[in-house]
Amino acid sequence: MITLYTFASPNGQKASILLEELGLTYKVHKVDLVAGEGRQPDYLAVSPIGKIPAVVEELPGGRKRRLFGSGAILLHYAERTGRLLPEDEDERAEAMSWLMLGVSDLGPSGLSKFRFAVMAPEKIPYAIDYFKGELQRIYAAMEERLGGSAYLAGGAYSIADIACFPFVAVAAKAEGNVLDRYPNLKRWHDAVAERPAVKRGMAVPE
């Protein structure tokens, strides 16, 4: 059995989309970050800094295995199942690169812009403009890549797309016309959004 510890955020949605795409059976434990559940000792034993998503697998012999962080979860299950990673070495290299961009650049830049522009009690224009610029730089790179390939790794959908989609989706929903300047990115966003497993994963936790 797989237990997914998650919250209604793009980072959590990456893990639920993956599990839905792979058709793996899992149960959901909603971590109420607003109420401080992420800082409780029981959850810190699963995810040492209290972030989501995290996974606990119940294994034969009563053993348990934890995975924390969206990148680790995406890569673990793609490698274990042999799916959502290209076999071609060049496309696999692209998949790894865009996967890491989603984890280390797109996600943190999107979250930081939200924190400074929306959540911060004092608005700091430098910080807002900086992270807005970072997002535009990332969108431009994705736009160029998707001008020559259907998906980020190449011709096939992969964990690279899963790593990036929820953050692009939340920006498109929040800002309305943000994708108008990026037609290739918009085409990719709209195609990924229509996948049944993506729709199910984006709705977790309910």
Side-chain angles (χ1 to χ4, degrees), residues 34-160:
V34 177
E37 189 175 339
R39 297 188 294 273
Q40 296 301 311
D42 286 351
Y43 186 61
L44 291 173
V46 176
S47 179
I49 60 171
K51 290 190 174 182
I52 58 95
V55 159
V56 171
E57 297 178 334
E58 297 177 23
L59 304 171
R63 293 191 305 116
K64 292 186 177 182
R65 175 190 293 136
R66 72 176 184 182
L67 287 145
F68 54 90
S70 61
I73 293 168
L74 291 172
L75 194 53
H76 171 77
Y77 286 108
E79 289 186 332
R80 198 177 89 175
T81 62
R83 296 171 57 194
L84 297 174
L85 266 177
E87 293 184 6
D88 178 84
E89 288 189 5
D90 291 341
E91 290 196 354
R92 189 181 182 92
E94 286 289 331
M96 291 296 186
S97 296
W98 291 104
L99 165 67
M100 297 306 167
L101 177 138
V103 171
S104 64
D105 296 284
L106 176 57
S109 294
L111 286 171
S112 295
K113 178 176 178 264
F114 176 76
R115 287 193 180 104
F116 282 107
V118 178
M119 296 181 66
E122 178 185 355
K123 302 300 182 283
I124 304 173
Y126 172 81
I128 295 169
D129 291 343
Y130 176 80
F131 287 111
K132 181 179 179 180
E134 286 295 286
L135 284 173
Q136 290 173 345
R137 187 159 67 108
I138 294 165
Y139 294 158
M142 295 177 72
E143 172 72 10
E144 181 176 1
R145 172 61 180 166
L146 293 166
S149 60
Y151 297 100
L152 290 170
Y157 175 77
S158 73
I159 55 173

Side-chain angles (χ1 to χ4, degrees), residues 2-69:
I2 298 168
T3 300
L4 170 64
Y5 294 81
T6 190
F7 186 70
S9 73
N11 268 328
Q13 289 160 348
K14 286 185 267 184
S16 51
I17 289 172
L18 172 83
L19 295 171
E20 291 290 342
E21 289 282 7
L22 294 175
L24 298 176
T25 300
Y26 67 102
K27 60 183 180 181
V28 176
H29 181 111
K30 181 180 178 181
V31 181
D32 191 342
L33 299 179
V34 177
E37 189 175 339
R39 297 188 294 273
Q40 296 301 311
D42 286 351
Y43 186 61
L44 291 173
V46 176
S47 179
I49 60 171
K51 290 190 174 182
I52 58 95
V55 159
V56 171
E57 297 178 334
E58 297 177 23
L59 304 171
R63 293 191 305 116
K64 292 186 177 182
R65 175 190 293 136
R66 72 176 184 182
L67 287 145
F68 54 90

